[in-house]
Amino acid sequence: QINIVNLLDKEVREIVLVRPKSVKVFEEGINQIERWKNACPEVELYMGNEISMYDQMKKSRLFLSMVCGTAQLESFSVNFPTILYWSKYHEIREEALPVFQKLIDVGILHQSKQTLANKINEIYKDPINWWNQPEIQTAKNLFCNKFAYKSNNWISHWKKELISL
């Protein structure tokens, strides 16, 4: 993560907020807070639990997720500008690969630190404009329809699916 932040332009680094997945100060014997402060003193760290991810997103321009998990699913579901970095695919089923490839094709999912940093540097001033492009929304919606589907009528959908099984 520090390597990625260091690839960002200075003006971008100055507005970055890092929200580690854990509030543990010591992880694997390394003081993560000191490590961040020494490596990237301009970066703000949020180590608390008082502010929800959603409330923090309301104050943010762009959400970066480095794992395939719930946070990414939630940011996609609320249609918040999201960019992903996975150095490699996490055990993805063969039939799901085309959906993830679409995310790569439109610049949402990156497997290189440099391409990720380049994209963030390119869009950080107005990520909403980037996010609302039709090809970005199409790829995100394809992903959501497969893996993060939401509906106001979800009980009916679940009932129909369970009955079909």
Side-chain angles (χ1 to χ4, degrees):
Q1 294 171 342
I2 289 170
N3 291 337
I4 291 169
V5 169
N6 281 327
L7 290 171
L8 298 174
D9 293 341
K10 186 180 185 311
E11 62 268 20
V12 179
R13 283 194 313 269
E14 290 174 347
I15 61 172
V16 166
L17 170 71
V18 173
R19 184 181 174 125
K21 69 176 183 171
S22 171
V23 296
K24 291 187 276 184
V25 174
F26 288 94
E27 187 175 302
E28 300 173 13
I30 301 169
N31 185 324
Q32 295 294 311
I33 293 174
E34 286 305 313
R35 189 173 186 187
W36 272 103
K37 285 181 181 177
N38 290 333
C40 302
E42 68 277 16
V43 170
E44 183 182 349
L45 295 175
Y46 176 76
M47 298 298 294
N49 287 322
E50 302 84 38
I51 301 172
S52 74
M53 181 182 85
Y54 293 112
D55 287 338
Q56 209 144 45
M57 285 168 55
K58 290 176 188 174
K59 300 176 186 178
S60 302
R61 297 181 194 181
L62 181 66
F63 179 78
L64 166 62
S65 179
M66 296 189 183
V67 295
C68 181
T70 305
Q72 166 211 328
L73 298 174
E74 292 179 12
S75 68
F76 274 18
S77 290
V78 297
N79 201 26
F80 191 83
T82 301
I83 198 161
L84 309 171
Y85 170 74
W86 306 337
S87 58
K88 60 182 177 176
Y89 280 135
H90 302 279
E91 300 181 10
I92 296 174
R93 293 187 322 266
E94 189 70 32
E95 63 268 18
L97 288 176
V99 176
F100 286 88
Q101 187 59 51
K102 287 280 188 200
L103 297 179
I104 291 171
D105 293 345
V106 300
I108 294 174
L109 174 57
H110 297 263
Q111 295 179 289
S112 152
K113 293 174 190 168
Q114 189 62 59
T115 65
L116 170 71
N118 291 347
K119 181 55 76 176
I120 293 172
N121 288 331
E122 174 191 329
I123 68 170
Y124 88 95
K125 287 184 180 175
D126 190 7
I128 294 285
N129 186 44
W130 165 76
W131 186 250
N132 285 329
Q133 292 176 41
E135 65 273 13
I136 302 290
Q137 286 294 301
T138 298
K140 184 266 303 172
N141 290 339
L142 176 65
F143 181 93
C144 285
N145 287 337
K146 285 278 198 185
F147 307 111
Y149 184 74
K150 69 178 193 172
S151 167
N152 292 333
N153 194 20
W154 65 270
I155 292 175
S156 176
H157 291 282
W158 273 86
K159 180 180 176 184
K160 182 178 176 182
E161 186 65 27
L162 291 172
I163 289 171
S164 75
L165 296 173

